[in-house]
Amino acid sequence: MTGGLMQIGEVSERTGLSLRTIRHCEDIGVVASSERSAGGFRLSTEAEVRRLALVRRMRPLGFCREDVRDLLELLERLPGGAPLPASDEQAHEELVARLRKYWVEADARCEDLRRQLIEAEDFTRSLHGHLARLVEAGNTADAEAVR
């Protein structure tokens, strides 16, 4: 695509989101395609791809649409590496507090997912144990039938 614009298929490949999810994100205002091709196809910029990638990373943590929008807006307001002027100290502290809130929440949700994964792996091991015993019992019966 010329000018760094990407069609929705490439955006899907780069973000791991389905075409349907990308369209939904546009419909609800989480991301807006910059332009349309002559044929009417959505064209997205690198910045929009980054926004969609963030949506993809937040999804397994169960953040709601409002949280996604708020965090995207918050990240857009962050300074680009340079400290904010002294007159913006209060705004800076607000950004830090809001970003910290999301970090704490994401960290807690990750910990919950880790606990769930441990439980799921324990369940899977128990199924494997049951299967192994069943297979072994079948092999023993087969061996006795051969004798």
Side-chain angles (χ1 to χ4, degrees):
M1 215 51 328
T2 61
L5 297 175
M6 293 164 265
Q7 288 188 356
I8 193 169
E10 183 179 351
V11 173
S12 175
E13 287 177 24
R14 293 202 36 208
T15 62
L17 294 171
S18 69
L19 301 179
R20 182 177 179 198
T21 299
I22 294 167
R23 288 183 188 111
H24 179 69
C25 286
E26 184 177 305
D27 292 343
I28 63 172
V30 170
V31 68
S33 293
S34 298
E35 298 180 32
R36 296 248 179 200
S37 70
F41 295 104
R42 290 171 168 86
L43 299 175
S44 299
T45 64
E46 189 64 41
E48 291 157 351
V49 171
R50 283 193 303 273
R51 287 176 66 91
L52 286 166
L54 181 73
V55 168
R56 172 77 171 93
R57 293 192 321 265
M58 290 179 78
R59 196 163 62 175
L61 297 176
F63 283 99
C64 68
R65 179 185 314 167
E66 290 77 25
D67 288 335
V68 171
R69 282 188 187 134
D70 186 53
L71 185 58
L72 286 167
E73 183 267 329
L74 170 64
L75 293 174
E76 286 174 357
R77 291 181 50 206
L78 291 179
L84 289 172
S87 62
D88 287 344
E89 245 180 82
Q90 184 177 357
H92 177 75
E93 290 303 317
E94 177 190 322
L95 289 175
V96 168
R98 286 174 61 199
L99 192 56
R100 182 175 285 124
K101 178 190 90 158
Y102 282 107
W103 172 68
V104 167
E105 183 63 28
D107 196 50
R109 291 179 185 200
C110 283
E111 188 57 39
D112 186 49
L113 287 172
R114 285 183 198 100
R115 281 192 295 276
Q116 290 180 39
L117 181 58
I118 288 169
E119 291 173 7
E121 288 173 335
D122 184 50
F123 173 69
T124 302
R125 280 189 297 276
S126 73
L127 287 177
H128 183 265
H130 291 303
L131 181 61
R133 285 190 295 280
L134 191 59
V135 169
E136 182 61 32
N139 287 343
T140 303
D142 290 344
E144 288 181 17
V146 171
R147 291 184 202 167

